[in-house]
Amino acid sequence: MSTSTMHIDIRNTSRETLEESSRSAAQTLLERYRRTRARSEELIAGLSDADATAQSMPDASPVKWHLAHTTWFFETFVLQEHVPGYIPFDSRYPYLFNSYYEAKGPRILRGSRGLLTRPTLEEILSYRAYVDAAISKVWESISVCAQDVTILGCHHEQQHQELLLTDILHLFAQNPLFPAVHARTSVELCKTPESLKWLRGRKGQVQIGHDGDGFAFDCEGPRHTAWLTPHDLASRLVTNAEWLAFVIDGGYSKADHWLSDGWAWVRENDINAPLYWLKNSGNEWSRQFSLNGILSLNPDTPVCHVSYYEADAFARWAGYRLPTETEWESAAVDQSSEFRVNFDRFRWDQDRADADRHMDLSDLRWEWTASSFLPYPGFRAPPGAVGEYNGKFMSGQFVLRGGSCATPIGHTRATYRNFFYPHQRWQFTGVRLARDI
Amino acid sequence: MSTSTMHIDIRNTSRETLEESSRSAAQTLLERYRRTRARSEELIAGLSDADATAQSMPDASPVKWHLAHTTWFFETFVLQEHVPGYIPFDSRYPYLFNSYYEAKGPRILRGSRGLLTRPTLEEILSYRAYVDAAISKVWESISVCAQDVTILGCHHEQQHQELLLTDILHLFAQNPLFPAVHARTSVELCKTPESLKWLRGRKGQVQIGHDGDGFAFDCEGPRHTAWLTPHDLASRLVTNAEWLAFVIDGGYSKADHWLSDGWAWVRENDINAPLYWLKNSGNEWSRQFSLNGILSLNPDTPVCHVSYYEADAFARWAGYRLPTETEWESAAVDQSSEFRVNFDRFRWDQDRADADRHMDLSDLRWEWTASSFLPYPGFRAPPGAVGEYNGKFMSGQFVLRGGSCATPIGHTRATYRNFFYPHQRWQFTGVRLARDI
Amino acid sequence: MSTSTMHIDIRNTSRETLEESSRSAAQTLLERYRRTRARSEELIAGLSDADATAQSMPDASPVKWHLAHTTWFFETFVLQEHVPGYIPFDSRYPYLFNSYYEAKGPRILRGSRGLLTRPTLEEILSYRAYVDAAISKVWESISVCAQDVTILGCHHEQQHQELLLTDILHLFAQNPLFPAVHARTSVELCKTPESLKWLRGRKGQVQIGHDGDGFAFDCEGPRHTAWLTPHDLASRLVTNAEWLAFVIDGGYSKADHWLSDGWAWVRENDINAPLYWLKNSGNEWSRQFSLNGILSLNPDTPVCHVSYYEADAFARWAGYRLPTETEWESAAVDQSSEFRVNFDRFRWDQDRADADRHMDLSDLRWEWTASSFLPYPGFRAPPGAVGEYNGKFMSGQFVLRGGSCATPIGHTRATYRNFFYPHQRWQFTGVRLARDI
Amino acid sequence: MSTSTMHIDIRNTSRETLEESSRSAAQTLLERYRRTRARSEELIAGLSDADATAQSMPDASPVKWHLAHTTWFFETFVLQEHVPGYIPFDSRYPYLFNSYYEAKGPRILRGSRGLLTRPTLEEILSYRAYVDAAISKVWESISVCAQDVTILGCHHEQQHQELLLTDILHLFAQNPLFPAVHARTSVELCKTPESLKWLRGRKGQVQIGHDGDGFAFDCEGPRHTAWLTPHDLASRLVTNAEWLAFVIDGGYSKADHWLSDGWAWVRENDINAPLYWLKNSGNEWSRQFSLNGILSLNPDTPVCHVSYYEADAFARWAGYRLPTETEWESAAVDQSSEFRVNFDRFRWDQDRADADRHMDLSDLRWEWTASSFLPYPGFRAPPGAVGEYNGKFMSGQFVLRGGSCATPIGHTRATYRNFFYPHQRWQFTGVRLARDI
């Protein structure tokens, strides 16, 4: 997923919004808005003003920027477009926090966001409160169209919640003190991983893509026919123990299994293990840096923070391959399959306890697929401001499917197409194997 | 196509080689070898030692390197592997002219090939003659397996013949004197381009990929089923006149139609027209640099030397899109279609006059497709030295189909998958439009 | 001045420390220590944790780093070396805040200091208080040698006080909100600048360099003989109005007056005015960014924040040249001269009011000289840890003389040799002209 | 010396030209012109068109460029300015071969000169012959002023003769075949180096710089007074054996002795020995690449191809320092000294045999001094085209004195100031030590 852009299609939301156009639906949406907004602020508990300001690489954005940019979205597309007389919080903020409108003139350079020590975190929180209050105040009288955009804004903010976590993790990983983002709130159970089983995939003619029922980003459609050749999918993700065997076998030091671009990336960047793996004093990979600080490397947990290049090389080394997105989606929606992508765990449910949620999701990873991020047949970018740049990322990136331990509850679904460049690995990315039969 | 690598699959050649295993087939093959080798040397008529040495960019190789590398292929895989007692021409040459064996230790850096002023062009031609003589001498007694590799070597050399032309053209384009590679041998006829027609593409279930009958590179198979949604393909390529309209409409100065990566490329490199277009003193695009030196820009000729980014932007600007490789191949093999990819023009035919050939091919371009270069379902890289790196280029590149005015006679076919990065445009690349219906 | 290094010579301090070896001298020194330490913390009033963390370029350091590094100096060279049983505040800090000991293993990369969001500003202030308390506690019983190092540490901290201001100014200049470091505390008087007079310089044999009386950095000596040819020095610095004339005359767009390296720097960086000059909406240079935020450009104030390249080009354009450091120092110590470098204004005087101090110094600038920073005849780097890298900056840099509005009271003197690379200009640098006669 | 620029001062040549203004002097000058021109062509015996075209780095120029640029000088400043009706050889050549006139519009980028495979070496030699014939034809009637420029042009061409050799050596060093520029024409005698003696330098007031008698570049004057402190100079240069001791002692792996910029250069470029030193199979430094190909490393020969950073580090390691240019020149002109810079060996003498010349000069090196290349007191760049850029290189470079085995006979003198950046080492540079006493 481009780290600072959302992809929305107003047309896809029509059925959802029709159902919600009654007063009670509006109230439900307002509650959802408040929960989403509150969740962003829960995530930054314990972060300092400085933590929220720094930017560790151009691919990442400061926490403060995520908090402000998502607020700017509601201010611009809900309040300024739909509420006559709305007075912006600060006329200079759009310049600072607009991520992507090429046409609206120069913006602050992406790589320089970390120099914006002002506005302070406190000011950004005031900005959030100001916009939230304005939304609440006008909500009763707001149009259905504004409600639609609010739904979009909530999905947009959820994307940034995940990015916020991956970005702060990357920042803290640069600090020799290795601070923890969150104190550890739960004890990870020592469970034996299930043994890997091969699940027979569907074959022949299948349908994939979003059917327009409920919210989806535009690139998830149109729903269309595709053709599958016979294949199996692994029942679970590759574990740390399996990855360690790859490392020990010289996986990172022999060109054989690597894509040409991947091998160049390995050598230029001295890549020799997943991002955030750490060695002990005996020069063994035994620990990993995480949102909870440094943890011992759990052999049974799915490997995390690997690039497409690594995922592909591992699969070749193992004698298998990565699944295509068509294979993946067909399995994910197959009720009879044992395929372990439990979207129930991502389902929107405000009554579930946070503790449970953390427990449930800890072994989830975005799963690299062998599919380039390209338009589906018949895809056409929607017109207008919100859709200005739909599809503009459709070169050079690969699709990831599923969701991760950092993905907000209620955000992902079987047709969701996340995408990143093949060298990127600061997201919570993992590997599921496939094989031809 | 990776500019210094070939992709071959010995297994695919079996049927062809079986037919040729008789003495007369062997003679035919030897004749083909000689023609191919001679053709490489015809191409460099008029080039100086210095012309053959310089390298204008890392993507390109010196002419001398192409001549030597293709010779090294026959020396290594035919003579050294199959001819006992063969004495190499020079034991240092493999280090200089081996392009891709990662496992065989350090090679000269790709970007530094232009510094190899020695061996001289004359010495390289002696190397060629030495290897050619050795092949001729042992041909009678050579094994079928060695003949198979010889077939591969001929296809490999043909790939380098096209690269040799594109690379020398790029080199000469850097010279303010704009020298011509070839004196102009034919008068281009002033023909009115056909008006663009939309040809209905095939839909539903189709089969594409090489079926194993005759030679093909491994990435052209396996033959497999795919699914097509309803679409039309343009009956001809986009012309210079049509491209000029795009330029004049501000195509290169507005972000709207560009992929995000493409727009970054445009700005960083000040791209404002196809490679080799030149302005006149009145600041109008009126000329282009070519193998025949500077020519006036023919409005009716297919545009040439555009990148994928440009091709994609043009298509969006025009309201259309690029074809997928499945759409393209399905049309190309459709006997009933008016689709204008006449592979007869590429067919191997040693009796045709060179002049005719030049006339015929001048309007041919490699056609960018909307498909990433990825493995077909069931693809698996063959084992062994020759296949060491099959498939290793399957990330980040896009497929081109067809052939160009620089493609040797007998080299391309309907299943041929050429591939380049989306920013590259020093090949003879053009654009065919498609549309959903 | 190298931004993170100090240059000290214990031998030079002997006379000063002898005088202070009595109890009362020790008390005076402790008081000086406290004042210096307190001054650093006064300078950061109003800065946030984030302000103190960010780093705007590799040449600059974060405010927090300056505060911690200077503290690390006292902890390492006074407390750890001279106080048995001293317990360090945090064993990990030396790795984070040691600037220059190559021999002590890897340090955090200079350009990555801005990613250290932890320790927080508050923790750094606790670190400071901890070390200050320890110094106070042991002061009565401390050795003369430890006192010597304390003197050095105070001068070292003063260097960083100036760097702290220039670095935070540079950071805030990157922020489109242009925050002010300090609220404006005084009204600048509208005074007419004196008209430029040419003061006759000394000629023939002169003596320059520090004579060992009082503190000096090692590069200020040995005192030695030099020879001056007849010349004049300007009685005052070049003003903003004079510089504006240079700009308007095309000074930045014609190569004529520039050094070759300077002209390359101008073109690569689009340099067209002093750093921090700003245009108004009418495209005129009318404002400048400062520690007090954006101010109007005072025509009568000495120009500030120009590089050596600019200073040299201006001087050639004006028909003059820059003074050498020998010319400058000879004039600065000449009691009979009208030369306007009033070192009284820098003299250590704890009773002077802050307000006065600000008023006095506002027109002071470090003055670029035409002299490379090279060793004086007979210079030899002192042995031992503190002097480990004396002299290691003696290539590629130019000497600046005098002091600036940001130089702490009591820090500079006539023999002081500041030095920066010719392209650097984020210090408070200005220009005095000279001419041959 | 800037590799493509000359520094001339017409005023300094007046005395010389007055003496030569008679017919016989004109004949002598014409003979000198012819010898100088012929010498350039002797130097390229055995080089191919490709050898003469390639450029191994931006600091170097192709041989062909040197041959053409020096010819362009005579065509432009003698023939076009002083000979009415002269018809240029090719109107496009000034664009290709003008090195430095900023004001005359865009030139071909310095780093792209190696792509100019046309004009060919043969065409450049025709260009040379055309200009030489034109000079000869008009010589009888040429003005004194044109003669003056001819003298300049000869010195200019001699500078490029040395650069031509250093540049072709650098190019051949990039080739794994290590071709020799010249077949070895003489046997190097095995002579024991003299033991190093310390020669007492002059002290107190001295005069250095060119006095205007005979030709000199402008930066060699004005002659002026300087002051020397007591010092010794080494009687000979540092040898390979001495340098090897530095290498073996870890000279390149410890920061202690290095300038800060030098140490950064060592690490970034993996510097571990002088340029062109080679190891044998036993991993010992035992050979060096030279104009005669690979030779064994003669322990008694002065070390060659070291940068200023290396020279300075070696001197510190040895406990000494480099001489200043004032110390050097004062010794070089001191008739009573044993100082071993024998300028007789450079003296213009057309009757000496080439073989002798080679023998004599083989141990000569440009000697790095501790002095930055800065203007002498009273220096002022002369006005006009030829002097357009005098002095523009006076930042960041260090002075070298003496001459080298590649310096043409008759070119250098005691006041000659060569200059290069401290990291550059592809010239024939060596080290003489000095010490304070």
Side-chain angles (χ1 to χ4, degrees), chain A residues 31-32 35-36 158 344 346-350 409-411:
Chain A
E31 183 55 28
R32 182 170 183 170
R35 291 269 309 179
T36 303
Q158 286 183 318
D344 287 344
F346 288 109
R347 206 148 288 165
W348 174 260
D349 181 357
Q350 48 184 291
I409 299 294
H411 183 65

Side-chain angles (χ1 to χ4, degrees), chain D residues 30 33-34 37 74-75 78-80 83 85-89 126-142:
Chain D
L30 181 60
Y33 170 85
R34 286 172 175 158
R37 299 285 289 169
F74 290 112
E75 184 176 60
V78 179
L79 294 171
Q80 293 208 279
V83 179
Y86 172 75
I87 298 168
F89 181 76
S126 296
Y127 178 36
R128 292 181 65 90
Y130 179 91
V131 166
D132 290 349
I135 292 272
S136 287
K137 185 176 168 194
V138 302
W139 191 254
E140 292 291 318
S141 60
I142 214 162

Side-chain angles (χ1 to χ4, degrees), chain B residues 172-342:
Chain B
F172 279 17
Q174 314 309 310
N175 191 324
L177 306 183
F178 289 117
V181 176
H182 301 309
R184 200 154 170 208
T185 53
S186 66
V187 178
E188 203 175 330
L189 301 180
C190 279
K191 52 182 173 182
T192 308
E194 56 178 318
S195 60
L196 188 148
K197 282 180 285 188
W198 289 104
L199 309 177
R200 185 60 39 101
R202 293 191 51 194
K203 69 179 174 184
Q205 192 177 330
V206 295
Q207 294 272 319
I208 67 160
H210 197 261
D211 61 6
D213 193 5
F215 177 85
F217 291 108
D218 61 356
C219 63
E220 296 175 48
R223 188 161 178 82
H224 63 282
T225 300
W227 191 271
L228 289 178
T229 49
H231 66 279
D232 284 340
L233 293 169
S235 61
R236 61 157 173 80
L237 303 190
V238 170
T239 64
N240 282 326
E242 288 163 344
W243 201 275
L244 190 58
F246 172 64
V247 174
I248 290 170
D249 192 45
Y252 286 94
S253 55
K254 288 181 289 192
D256 309 32
H257 303 296
W258 293 83
L259 287 163
S260 179
D261 289 349
W263 184 239
W265 170 80
V266 162
R267 284 178 301 181
E268 280 163 26
N269 298 281
D270 290 328
I271 305 296
N272 55 10
L275 188 64
Y276 305 142
W277 276 28
L278 298 167
K279 288 185 169 177
N280 60 18
S281 57
N283 204 34
E284 295 162 323
W285 297 110
S286 63
R287 301 175 301 156
Q288 61 185 326
F289 185 61
S290 76
L291 291 167
N292 302 121
I294 295 178
L295 303 179
S296 66
L297 192 60
N298 185 336
D300 301 332
T301 300
V303 72
C304 198
H305 300 297
V306 293
S307 69
Y308 176 83
Y309 293 136
E310 289 168 284
D312 179 79
F314 179 91
R316 294 192 199 210
W317 169 81
Y320 303 110
R321 61 171 175 82
L322 300 178
T324 66
E325 62 172 328
T326 305
E327 291 167 348
W328 196 98
E329 183 173 328
S330 299
V333 298
D334 187 354
Q335 301 301 331
S336 65
S337 169
E338 295 178 71
F339 193 62
R340 297 285 184 255
V341 182
N342 188 349

Side-chain angles (χ1 to χ4, degrees), chain A residues 102-103 107 205 224-227 229 255-256 258-263 267 308-309 316 319-321 370-375 377-381 388-398 421-422 436, chain B residues 102-103 107 205 224-227 229 255-256 258-263 267 308-309 316 319-321 370-375 377-381 388-398 421-422 436:
Chain A
E102 293 280 354
R107 288 159 295 135
Q205 190 175 331
H224 62 283
T225 300
W227 191 272
T229 51
D256 309 32
W258 292 82
L259 287 163
S260 177
D261 289 349
W263 184 241
R267 285 178 301 180
Y308 176 84
Y309 293 136
R316 294 193 200 209
Y320 303 110
R321 62 169 174 82
S371 301
S372 292
F373 181 58
L374 292 175
F379 170 80
R380 199 146 189 146
E388 180 181 339
Y389 288 107
N390 285 309
K392 82 172 183 177
F393 297 104
M394 291 176 173
S395 70
Q397 309 202 44
F398 281 87
Y421 288 98
D436 296 309
Chain B
E102 293 280 353
R107 289 159 295 135
Q205 192 177 330
H224 63 282
T225 300
W227 191 271
T229 49
D256 309 32
W258 293 83
L259 287 163
S260 179
D261 289 349
W263 184 239
R267 284 178 301 181
Y308 176 83
Y309 293 136
R316 294 192 199 210
Y320 303 110
R321 61 171 175 82
S371 301
S372 291
F373 181 58
L374 291 174
F379 171 81
R380 201 148 188 146
E388 179 181 339
Y389 287 106
N390 283 308
K392 79 171 185 177
F393 297 105
M394 290 177 172
S395 70
Q397 308 201 43
F398 282 86
Y421 287 98
D436 296 309

Side-chain angles (χ1 to χ4, degrees), chain A residues 393-407:
Chain A
F393 297 104
M394 291 176 173
S395 70
Q397 309 202 44
F398 281 87
V399 172
L400 300 104
R401 290 302 195 105
S404 85
C405 49
T407 308

